[in-house]
């Protein structure tokens, strides 16, 4: 098999006494959709931060296309082809929608004209063209999610990290999202998606990694994951925890 | 021609700017009163200075109340070079700009790690330290300052006794250049990076923006232009001391026009300066020599009023209305 595009090797992330990621290893290949699931607080967003360069992990390495990127900051990793969305959306609220997307495009070009054209294309792709001139702060929450995806795509990523990008969408919108993710995969991008709604992630993912309490507890094709004892009990555990709370 | 509304709007801006420069350039035909000419020079100078301040504080969101440091640096470098080494202000002003840019980078290196109001306080404290330094530095005249000998009108030495008009046209050119720099930057990736870093640093970094480096670039450019203004002012008044070029009121007077006119907007600083500077000169002449305290009270009330009532400034309020009016 070819070398993986993303190779996470033994990543551990501690916050004081709390171990958010513990010796996590996983790979994602070009043209693959990898589902990353797990109960709340399992460490999924923390792992995204380690891959995108928001914080350097306590231990472990991150490789992109064979190159060690562990020491690089977030902007440099973006330049190398890692893009991500945030679970809690982070728009540039005083900028127009199209300007938000241009910020992403500027990592590949210094020409404002090219960046604007690129932004228009990407906004078409996510169905935000009609909102291009609105202020980002005036968007509805589902539109903000789409803007997050548009900005990430404008950086022309090789690896796209989607952190609950479909949360809060109506079934129709979610269906459009699913189709977009498929199209991106077919264009050769590797996608890692964190998703809570199993009905979305299971049919879409080629492979699934399950995190619980910061550890990888299962990995495999969706059909096997849904039957895995440890996965079932982790999710049952979550429900039990929720009931107690 | 193009139908792209964005490019069209930019082209309109440049035509408006050229029109404004032309009209202002004709003012001395009607305004012969030396006092009024003086006010015009100051208004143009503050338009340029506020435009420079706006690059760092408006676009990049790093509110500085210490720009008097860069203004004073420009004044002192220009005049030290002039009086001690005979270097013409034409070279002294850009030299002052470079020194100020280096100082701004040195200030920014630790301070850009500070958040919000801590950054503002740091800029005030550092500028005050610079003021105290100049107050005690004998070589630079300490508290007595530097008297700039003016013997004859000279373009080579950029000094004029008989007429204010050369200063007026330099100030007009300076204001236009500062506007033009902002205009060009506005559609470069730097301004997008600055605004993104201001709105949300984490998101900006995830999109490839080196937030720290962007802020450093904004600070250096902003300080450079401010110091050129300082060098000009020193020639204009032909006498400098720490109080008259590094006092805190300069930091306020650079910030206020942009805040009043519209933070982070292309026209805000010019509009704000056009209103504010004649107004402060008026209050000063009404209140006589002791006007300084009254000035500060008025500035303070203005900042509070704008912050509470119209945080987007005059230009911001007008464009917002225009946008709402559009279908
Ligand atoms: N910057 C941080 N500082 C301290 N604790 C954190 C930080 N980021 C995440 N955590 C903690 O790490 C754990 C995992 O969080 P997270 O990665 O957000 O989980 P998930 O995305 O799977 O819901 C949580 O207990 C969370 O409180
Ligand atoms: Mg999360």
């Amino acid at each position: 098999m070819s070398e993986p595009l993303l190779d996470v090797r033994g990543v551990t992330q501690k916050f004081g006494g709390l171990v958010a990621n513990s010796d996590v290893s996983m790979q994602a290949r070009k043209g693959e959709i990898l589902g990353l699931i797990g109960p709340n607080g399992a460490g999924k967003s923390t792992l995204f931060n380690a891959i995108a360069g928001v914080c350097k992990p306590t231990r472990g390495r991150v490789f992109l296309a064979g190159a060690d990127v562990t020491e690089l900051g977030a902007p440099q990793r973006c330049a190398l082809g890692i893009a991500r969305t945030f679970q809690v959306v982070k728009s540039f609220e005083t900028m127009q929608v199209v300007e938000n997307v241009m910020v992403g495009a500027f990592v590949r070009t210094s020409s404002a004209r090219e960046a604007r054209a690129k932004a228009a294309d990407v906004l078409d792709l996510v169905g935000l063209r009609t909102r291009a001139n609105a202020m980002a702060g005036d968007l509805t929450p589902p539109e903000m999610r789409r803007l997050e995806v548009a900005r990430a795509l404008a950086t022309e990523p090789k690896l796209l990290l989607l952190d609950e990008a479909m949360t809060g969408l109506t079934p129709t919108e979610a269906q459009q999202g699913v189709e977009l993710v498929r199209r991106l995969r077919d264009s050769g991008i590797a996608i890692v998606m964190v998703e809570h709604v199993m009905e979305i992630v299971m049919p879409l993912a080629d492979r699934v990694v399950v995190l619980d309490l910061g550890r990888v507890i299962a990995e495999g094709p969706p059909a096997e994951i849904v039957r895995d004892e440890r996965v079932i009990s982790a999710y049952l555990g979550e429900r039990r925890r929720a009931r107690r709370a | 021609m193009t139908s792209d509304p964005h490019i069209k709007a930019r082209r309109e801006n440049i035509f408006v700017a050229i029109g404004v420069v032309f009209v202002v350039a004709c003012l001395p035909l009607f305004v012969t009163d030396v006092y009024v000419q003086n006010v015009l020079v100051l208004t143009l100078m503050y338009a340029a200075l506020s435009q420079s301040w706006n690059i760092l504080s408006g676009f990049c969101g790093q509110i500085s109340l210490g720009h008097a440091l860069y203004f004073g640096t420009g004044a002192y470098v220009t005049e030290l070079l002039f009086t001690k080494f005979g270097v013409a202000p034409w070279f002294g002003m850009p030299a002052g700009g470079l020194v100020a840019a280096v100082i701004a980078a040195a200030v920014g290196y630790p301070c850009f790690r500070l958040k919000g109001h801590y950054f503002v306080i740091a800029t005030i404290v550092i500028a005050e330290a610079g003021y105290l330094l100049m107050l005690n530095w004998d070589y630079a005249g300490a508290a007595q300052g530097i008297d700039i000998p003016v013997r004859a009108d000279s373009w080579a030495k950029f000094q004029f006794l008989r007429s204010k008009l050369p200063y007026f046209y330099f100030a007009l050119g300076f204001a236009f250049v500062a506007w033009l720099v902002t205009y060009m930057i506005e559609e470069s990736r730097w301004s997008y990076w600055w605004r993104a870093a201001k709105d949300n640093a984490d998101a900006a970094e995830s999109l490839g923006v080196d937030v720290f480096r962007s802020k450093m670039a904004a600070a250096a450019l902003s300080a450079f232009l401010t110091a050129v203004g300082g060098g000009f002012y020193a020639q204009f008044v032909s006498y400098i001391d720490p109080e008259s070029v590094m006092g805190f009121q300069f930091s306020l007077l650079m910030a206020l026009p942009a805040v009043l006119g519209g933070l982070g907007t292309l026209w805000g600083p010019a509009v704000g300066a056009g209103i504010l500077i004649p107004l402060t000169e008026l209050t000063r002449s009404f209140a006589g020599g002791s006007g300084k305290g009254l000035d500060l009270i008025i500035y303070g009330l203005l900042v509070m009023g704008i912050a509470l009532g119209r945080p987007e400034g005059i230009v911001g309020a007008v464009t917002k209305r225009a946008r709402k009016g559009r279908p």
Side-chain angles (χ1 to χ4, degrees), chain B residues 8-253:
Chain B
K8 210 165 135 243
R10 273 181 67 75
R11 196 169 292 149
E12 280 167 12
N13 270 327
I14 201 98
F15 285 137
V16 170
I18 291 169
V20 170
V21 169
F22 183 77
V23 169
V24 175
C26 293
L27 282 182
L29 293 177
F30 315 102
V31 180
T32 46
D33 183 77
V34 174
Y35 172 75
V36 180
Q37 285 185 352
N38 205 38
V39 173
L40 287 177
V41 171
L42 289 177
T43 302
L44 289 168
M45 183 187 83
Y46 278 111
L49 291 172
S50 197
Q51 197 95 46
S52 317
W53 178 87
N54 194 39
I55 290 171
L56 177 63
S57 299
F59 284 93
C60 200
Q62 300 294 302
I63 302 289
S64 161
L65 284 182
H67 261 47
L69 177 65
Y70 310 129
F71 187 75
T73 299
Y76 269 102
V77 170
T78 304
E79 297 318 336
L80 284 175
L81 284 175
F82 186 51
T83 55
K84 310 259 180 193
F85 304 98
V87 177
W90 296 110
F91 301 103
M93 287 188 278
L98 290 179
V99 173
V102 170
I103 293 176
V107 169
Y109 192 80
C111 290
F112 284 145
R113 294 160 216 275
L114 302 173
K115 296 251 179 272
H117 49 282
Y118 290 109
F119 178 82
V120 183
I121 292 166
T123 60
I124 297 174
V125 170
I126 291 169
E128 202 61 21
Y131 170 81
L132 289 175
L133 186 79
M134 295 320 292
L135 209 53
N136 292 292
W137 190 19
D138 290 331
Y139 180 76
Q144 275 75 51
I146 303 173
D147 209 350
I148 298 133
V150 185
R151 295 207 182 81
D153 284 13
S154 157
W155 274 101
K157 291 181 180 171
F158 191 54
Q159 46 182 223
F160 308 93
L161 281 170
R162 273 194 293 271
S163 162
K164 298 256 182 210
L165 283 186
Y167 294 121
F168 172 82
Y169 285 109
F170 182 93
L172 178 59
F174 181 39
F176 182 64
V177 167
W179 182 91
L180 201 62
V181 166
T182 312
Y183 173 81
M184 291 191 304
I185 281 176
E186 217 185 18
E187 202 55 6
S188 80
R189 61 176 163 184
W190 285 104
S191 95
Y192 286 80
W193 285 343
W194 291 335
R195 290 159 65 203
K198 173 178 71 171
D199 276 6
N200 194 308
D202 291 338
E205 294 239 307
S206 84
L207 296 169
V209 181
D210 188 332
V211 169
F212 183 71
R213 202 169 62 107
S214 302
K215 288 178 183 173
M216 291 289 263
L221 178 61
S222 179
F224 180 93
L225 289 170
T226 303
V228 170
F232 163 76
Y233 183 74
Q235 287 296 115
F236 178 56
V237 296
S238 70
Y239 166 75
I240 63 173
D241 66 19
E243 183 56 38
S244 70
V245 293
M246 262 195 195
F248 180 62
Q249 75 270 17
F250 287 102
S251 295
L252 280 179
L253 279 173

Side-chain angles (χ1 to χ4, degrees), chain A residues 13-16 18-21 36-49 55 87 163-164 194 196 211 214:
Chain A
Q13 181 66 263
K14 292 186 188 170
F15 297 111
L18 182 104
V19 186
N21 288 146
L36 181 61
I37 66 170
N40 254 326
K44 306 179 296 289
S45 297
T46 303
L47 188 61
F48 269 14
N49 284 342
C55 43
Q87 180 178 353
D163 200 346
E164 307 198 14
V194 169
H196 260 299
L211 279 185

Side-chain angles (χ1 to χ4, degrees), chain A residues 74-75 78 82 84 86 90-95 99-100 102-104 106-107 109-110 112-113 116 133 135 151-152 155, chain B residues 4-7 187-189 191-193 195-211 323 326:
Chain A
C78 173
I82 300 178
R84 61 92 57 93
F86 292 92
K90 296 177 189 270
S91 314
F92 307 128
E93 295 194 345
T94 68
M95 298 171 75
E99 292 174 332
N100 268 256
M102 286 172 75
V103 173
F106 275 125
V107 78
T109 175
S110 60
R113 202 154 38 86
R116 201 168 278 277
N133 294 322
M135 283 293 152
R151 278 191 323 199
T155 68
Chain B
D4 185 333
H6 180 77
I7 294 175
E187 202 55 6
S188 80
R189 61 176 163 184
S191 95
Y192 286 80
W193 285 343
R195 290 159 65 203
K198 173 178 71 171
D199 276 6
N200 194 308
D202 291 338
E205 294 239 307
S206 84
L207 296 169
V209 181
D210 188 332
V211 169
R323 202 167 32 236
R326 240 170 17 214

